[in-house]
Amino acid sequence: MLITLANMRTNLAKNTLEIIKQAYGSGVKIFPHPIPYSTKVKEASASGKSIFAYDPRGAAAYAYEQLVKEVERDAVFEIKNSIGTVVDTITTDKNGKAQSKDLKLGDYPRPISL
């Protein structure tokens, strides 16, 4: 579960997050870094830029980067050929290092750009 548009400076947001953790925390993955409410995200979208290009040092960009790092940890990716047959599986460790039967443990460029 990803909490978005959060203003964690308010008691309402803090209490809501705590209630969510109590209700779902043991059965649902709750990402540890809520995405904050930010007008910079709206401005970035309106200008046709990513938040990383528009406000790279802002709180929202930081939170999204933490989300990417969290998703990369302990992930499993299937590599399929043109007819959809799985030809390899890439896994990542707790540090986000990628490994497969044909690739050695290490850092590899992401196939998508943010």
Side-chain angles (χ1 to χ4, degrees):
M1 183 179 297
L2 177 62
I3 308 300
T4 62
L5 300 173
N7 183 351
M8 297 310 295
R9 294 175 294 176
T10 67
N11 287 332
L12 175 62
K14 291 174 188 175
N15 292 340
T16 301
L17 182 57
E18 189 58 35
I19 290 168
I20 290 170
K21 285 180 180 179
Q22 289 174 3
Y24 301 104
S26 62
V28 173
K29 166 82 173 154
I30 300 173
F31 289 99
H33 296 279
I35 306 298
Y37 174 82
S38 172
T39 56
K40 297 287 186 183
V41 174
K42 292 179 183 180
E43 292 170 359
S45 179
S47 69
K49 297 180 180 178
S50 74
I51 191 62
F52 301 106
Y54 189 81
D55 187 29
R57 294 190 176 130
Y62 175 79
Y64 278 112
E65 183 62 29
Q66 296 308 305
L67 172 64
V68 168
K69 289 178 180 179
E70 183 72 20
V71 169
E72 287 179 338
R73 286 186 201 95
D74 298 317
V76 177
F77 303 93
E78 291 183 338
I79 309 302
K80 297 181 180 182
N81 63 16
S82 61
I83 60 170
T85 304
V86 176
V87 295
D88 196 3
T89 301
I90 296 176
T91 58
T92 60
D93 66 11
K94 65 181 179 176
N95 298 312
K97 300 287 184 189
Q99 177 176 311
S100 83
K101 63 183 177 193
D102 295 325
L103 299 173
K104 295 182 180 176
L105 186 64
D107 290 314
Y108 295 92
R110 292 186 194 131
I112 58 170
S113 60
L114 299 176

